[in-house]
Amino acid sequence: MQHGLMAIGAGIAVGLAALGTGFAQAKIGAAGMAAIAEKPELTGRAILMVAIPETLVILGFAVAAMIIVLL
Amino acid sequence: MLEPMTHVRIVSRTPRLEQVLRRLYRLRLLQLEPAVDSARSTLTAVPGDEERDARTAELRLLLARLDGLLELAGSDREIGDDSPSIDAAEIASDLDRIAPEVESLAARIDELRSELAVLPRYLEPLRRLMPLLPDLAELDEQKLRALKLDTIALVLNTEDDRLVETLRAALHELVGDRFELVAESGDPDAVGCLIVLAHRDAETVRALLGRAQVRHLPLPHRYEHLSFHGAVAAMEKRLESLPHELEAANADLHDLLVPRAPTWRAARTQLASELEQLEAVVKLGATARTFVAVGWTPSSRLSLLRRELELAADEEIALDVLGPTAAVTPPVLMRNRAQARPFEFLVRLLDLPHAGSLDPTMLMALFLPLMVGVMVGDIVYGTLLLGLSLYARRRYSKQSPVIRDLTRVFVAGSLWAIVFGFLFGEALGDIGHRVGLPALWFYRGGRDGVEPLLLFSLAIGAAHVLLGLALGLWRSAVERRGGELLERLGTVLALGGVFGLAGLAADRLPDGTLIPAGAAIVVGVVLLVAPSGALGLMMGPLALIGTLGNVLSYLRLAAVGLASAYLALVANRLGSLGPIWLGLFVAALFHALNVALAAFSPMIQALRLHYVEFFSKFYEGGGEPFRPFGESGAA
């Protein structure tokens, strides 16, 4: 039972963080594509901007990994 | 590394101008700068020459025409071949000869395309409205005129059907009962309407519609005299024949242009070269008897440039090295070892390094493939990616320098993936592990593999971020930026202290570590805060947390790697269920998906780690690329 709850907790940690990242990336990605359409030389910076919110999901993964390691 | 650049001034006698320019153009070693601005002296612009101005104008016009025709021919205008010298006058007369035919064909193609796009817009409303007035649909213009009737087709851009009733009421008020209005809502956001009315009321109603800004839908001229039925039939027939006519016109244009395209491309290259030489004169300065060119050249090529110019001008030339000034920023030329050169475009993708700053290409060539390797970490996947990269390199590298560089980057990443495949004992996921392939370090797919993988990822992150900070420290020291130096030193100290405490908490370091680690954090935070004063009290700790976040961000190496390892595990488990042929098919499908992901995701993640986490510690972008005089001849 305890293991199951911990596993669910790990899933929630990654899942909610991924939702947050996805929400942010959707908006940044749309703006980035619009910017690239106007100025293709901004491709690198657009990738950089899109990649920034991924830290959220990585932190979620770190929490989940700690939970799984404790299982 | 960035090639050091030297600012030079070239002075020679005016009669030598053409020889010197020709040699400079061929050498492609000098980026010309406006000499009159930079010399701040008695220099004037090189006196105008009517013949040169006329030739420049002629070449510009000719190049614009060639570009237009090459675009119509669907040909890449940048790539010329090595045809013998081409006479501009001959090319111009060739263009004059075929221009009327090309213009006529291009106009016809535009007309046909426009008709193809427009006709369905008429056809659909007519098709929908005809059943509503079956008798009227059979009447042509003459019959309608004999009955003293008129019709107005229109489209209301609305979703609201009540607008039709409003229109009906307005018409009733205007002409009484002498009209019929039918409406059909075919599109979700538009209502098509047809008004039949007495001929004498037509103008009044049209005026009303005009005032209300309602869009009429007059039929194209050639269908006006037909009945609605006749017009629909004629439009359908026309829509059937239009694609064939368009195809024939395109084929005629293709036959006319494509055979000439290679000659035009070669001519374009030659003419662009000549134009560049003519336009370069504008950047030169002059005295009564001499001309002066100012520009940048790679320092390593300075002696070659001097020697070649002396040969070109029979020793009647002086090349002076100008001292560095804050007012002029040198252009940037990246020149790295052959192994690292493919990574230059990945650095440029973010921004060109600022002149005099660090070029991180070598470090990227070292770390990026390693990170890709950690994430993929599978012997078979690595081998497949290596094979695909080598095939793509052989097949497509001549088509684009970007593809050539990218495939080399992938080759390096694939090799590291094979190395880490041996370290993790993975081949097609856990198949290698199951058939007895030993993990030289640890197996990622097992329960015991998560912790060392996380620690390994964090260790790479710590090393990478600390390396970035160390480079930043060095740059701050070289540039004598005291505040920045203290901040970076503080970050390094505080980060070291935090790592010490983490090691202590994980029982990996002795208890005696506590005091030095704590002291390092305190001193580090003070150094971080001090340069910014009161603002530093808030910004300093935030910067430290940001740097810690940068290190934690490297956990993505473990996250993406575990995702890849577990997807392979799932593929193998699914493959072992059910009949063997189905199992093989499902497993192959999942492994193919995993390889496709391995070719894309690890590269993006590794790039992000470099751009955001690593470069932010020391990288200074905003460099201007070195554009040597004569680069158009290199196309």
Side-chain angles (χ1 to χ4, degrees):
Chain A
M1 178 69 178
Q2 194 190 359
H3 281 185
L5 287 174
M6 287 171 82
I8 290 171
I12 290 173
V14 172
L16 287 183
L19 274 177
T21 297
F23 182 74
Q25 283 192 326
K27 302 211 160 191
I28 298 170
M33 288 308 291
I36 291 170
E38 293 280 335
K39 286 187 170 182
E41 66 271 20
L42 292 179
T43 306
R45 286 183 210 185
I47 291 174
L48 189 150
M49 293 296 170
V50 171
I52 282 175
E54 281 174 5
T55 307
L56 283 177
V57 76
I58 296 299
L59 294 178
F61 166 77
V63 172
M66 281 169 67
I67 295 172
I68 295 292
V69 169
L70 290 176
L71 270 178
Chain B
M1 61 175 284
L2 300 183
E3 174 83 38
M5 306 297 283
T6 303
H7 204 198
V8 296
R9 181 174 55 209
I10 298 161
V11 184
S12 184
R13 286 179 52 234
T14 308
R16 300 285 185 193
L17 175 62
E18 280 194 24
Q19 290 157 276
V20 170
L21 273 184
R22 260 203 303 275
R23 186 62 63 102
L24 281 175
Y25 181 84
R26 199 165 52 77
L27 287 170
R28 293 181 201 130
L29 285 178
L30 186 75
Q31 174 175 312
L32 284 170
E33 303 286 318
V36 178
D37 290 351
S38 57
R40 296 194 311 274
S41 65
T42 54
L43 286 181
T44 58
V46 174
D49 177 331
E50 277 182 24
E51 198 183 330
R52 192 169 59 223
D53 292 347
R55 180 69 177 161
T56 305
E58 183 195 359
L59 288 177
R60 280 187 188 145
L61 181 65
L62 204 50
L63 279 172
R65 293 177 73 189
L66 276 174
D67 286 347
L69 286 169
L70 284 170
E71 198 174 322
L72 270 180
S75 179
D76 186 350
R77 66 186 190 188
E78 295 298 338
I79 304 163
D81 55 21
D82 296 327
S83 297
S85 184
I86 288 164
D87 182 14
E90 201 178 302
I91 290 290
S93 89
D94 186 32
L95 296 188
D96 288 341
R97 208 166 38 247
I98 71 155
E101 205 176 339
V102 172
E103 279 164 19
S104 147
L105 273 171
R108 170 126 182 90
I109 288 168
D110 283 347
E111 195 182 308
L112 290 171
R113 278 188 185 144
S114 154
E115 205 177 343
L116 197 59
V118 163
L119 270 188
R121 290 188 209 161
Y122 291 101
L123 197 55
E124 278 311 307
L126 281 179
R127 272 184 186 147
R128 286 200 299 272
L129 289 170
M130 270 196 318
L132 303 177
L133 288 169
D135 297 333
L136 188 76
E138 301 297 338
L139 302 179
D140 62 17
E141 192 185 41
Q142 280 182 339
K143 287 176 186 165
L144 278 171
R145 201 168 288 163
L147 290 169
K148 298 192 174 173
L149 289 176
D150 213 331
T151 60
I152 300 172
L154 48 95
V155 175
L156 303 173
N157 290 323
T158 177
E159 300 168 12
D160 189 356
D161 289 342
R162 284 174 302 178
L163 205 60
V164 176
E165 291 314 312
T166 310
L167 177 64
R168 193 186 299 280
L171 289 172
H172 190 267
E173 198 176 308
L174 200 66
V175 296
D177 291 330
R178 299 189 305 276
F179 77 96
E180 185 64 49
L181 168 64
V182 291
E184 171 63 36
S185 171
D187 293 331
D189 55 354
V191 180
C193 298
L194 184 68
I195 304 169
V196 185
L197 69 172
H199 187 65
R200 64 190 161 105
D201 295 328
E203 281 310 309
T204 322
V205 170
R206 283 200 173 95
L208 169 74
L209 295 173
R211 283 197 301 278
Q213 296 185 334
V214 176
R215 182 155 58 95
H216 292 232
L217 198 67
L219 283 176
H221 185 63
R222 66 160 75 177
Y223 307 104
E224 266 181 357
H225 62 286
L226 299 172
S227 68
F228 284 162
H229 264 308
V232 167
M235 282 183 195
E236 284 171 344
K237 199 173 168 188
R238 182 76 184 136
L239 274 175
E240 268 178 35
S241 66
L242 271 175
H244 303 296
E245 284 184 36
L246 191 58
E247 199 178 319
N250 274 324
D252 288 347
L253 189 64
H254 181 272
D255 292 346
L256 188 66
L257 297 180
V258 170
R260 292 174 163 86
T263 315
W264 287 345
R265 275 202 305 271
R268 195 198 178 281
T269 306
Q270 287 184 21
L271 299 179
S273 302
E274 191 183 340
L275 183 62
E276 194 184 353
Q277 290 181 62
L278 287 171
E279 286 177 335
V281 177
V282 178
K283 292 187 175 173
L284 304 182
T287 62
R289 291 180 184 172
T290 63
F291 72 90
V292 180
V294 175
W296 292 96
T297 188
S299 302
S300 60
R301 305 298 175 93
L302 185 60
S303 55
L304 173 68
L305 180 68
R306 192 189 299 273
R307 206 167 47 243
E308 288 284 337
L309 289 179
E310 281 170 358
L311 281 175
D314 288 337
E315 310 281 333
E316 290 183 341
I317 196 160
L319 190 151
D320 303 323
V321 173
L322 300 174
T325 56
V328 283
T329 310
V332 173
L333 177 64
M334 296 165 94
R335 199 187 294 279
N336 288 286
R337 288 173 183 275
Q339 298 89 336
R341 214 165 292 147
F343 293 83
E344 285 179 355
F345 100 95
L346 291 177
V347 174
R348 280 198 300 265
L349 195 64
L350 180 68
D351 204 353
L352 201 62
H354 193 268
S357 69
L358 277 173
D359 175 9
T361 307
M362 280 299 288
L363 293 168
M364 202 174 196
L366 192 69
F367 281 103
L368 190 128
L370 181 131
M371 289 177 188
V372 171
V374 172
M375 284 184 266
V376 179
D378 188 294
I379 299 167
V380 178
Y381 289 172
T383 311
L384 280 171
L385 285 177
L386 180 66
L388 287 172
S389 310
L390 289 173
Y391 172 75
R393 187 175 153 187
R394 213 174 115 185
R395 180 87 173 75
Y396 303 109
S397 66
K398 281 183 187 162
Q399 290 177 12
S400 150
V402 172
I403 293 178
R404 184 193 61 214
D405 290 346
L406 206 54
T407 51
R408 286 182 183 171
V409 172
F410 270 103
V411 165
S414 312
L415 290 172
W416 273 112
I418 295 171
V419 170
F420 276 97
F422 280 110
L423 291 175
F424 298 147
E426 286 182 36
L428 277 181
D430 63 337
I431 287 182
H433 191 61
R434 280 196 271 170
V435 299
L437 178 74
L440 298 179
W441 190 6
F442 62 87
Y443 172 56
R444 285 189 301 182
R447 277 181 60 88
D448 301 335
V450 178
E451 196 178 339
L453 187 62
L454 293 176
L455 288 175
F456 178 49
S457 304
L458 285 177
I460 294 179
H464 209 214
V465 169
L466 279 173
L467 176 64
L469 282 169
L471 292 171
L473 260 176
W474 179 59
R475 286 300 309 161
S476 304
V478 168
E479 300 279 327
R480 296 174 192 278
R481 295 190 288 240
E484 199 180 85
L485 181 77
L486 283 181
E487 279 175 17
R488 283 175 172 161
L489 191 63
T491 308
V492 172
L493 276 175
L495 205 59
V498 170
F499 290 150
L501 286 186
L504 199 64
D507 290 334
R508 304 276 173 129
L509 290 174
D511 291 344
T513 316
L514 182 62
I515 293 173
I521 292 175
V522 171
V523 174
V525 169
V526 168
L527 288 177
L528 253 172
V529 169
S532 309
L535 191 64
L537 285 172
M538 189 176 69
M539 299 307 290
L542 277 179
L544 181 61
I545 291 169
T547 309
L548 276 172
N550 289 153
V551 175
L552 285 179
S553 188
Y554 285 75
L555 282 174
R556 73 188 61 229
L557 298 177
V560 176
L562 278 180
S564 172
Y566 279 101
L567 190 55
L569 204 82
V570 168
N572 296 335
R573 292 275 162 84
L574 283 178
S576 62
L577 304 173
I580 188 160
W581 63 269
L582 185 62
L584 280 175
F585 175 74
V586 171
L589 196 72
F590 271 73
H591 281 303
L593 174 70
N594 210 0
V595 171
L597 285 174
F600 181 72
S601 185
M603 188 61 74
I604 295 289
Q605 299 299 340
L607 266 182
R608 178 235 141 92
L609 287 175
H610 277 81
Y611 288 164
V612 181
E613 272 76 21
F614 187 48
F615 284 9
S616 60
K617 303 290 172 286
F618 67 94
Y619 188 69
E620 295 165 50
E624 288 295 324
F626 176 61
R627 296 192 189 285
F629 171 53
E631 71 172 351
S632 72

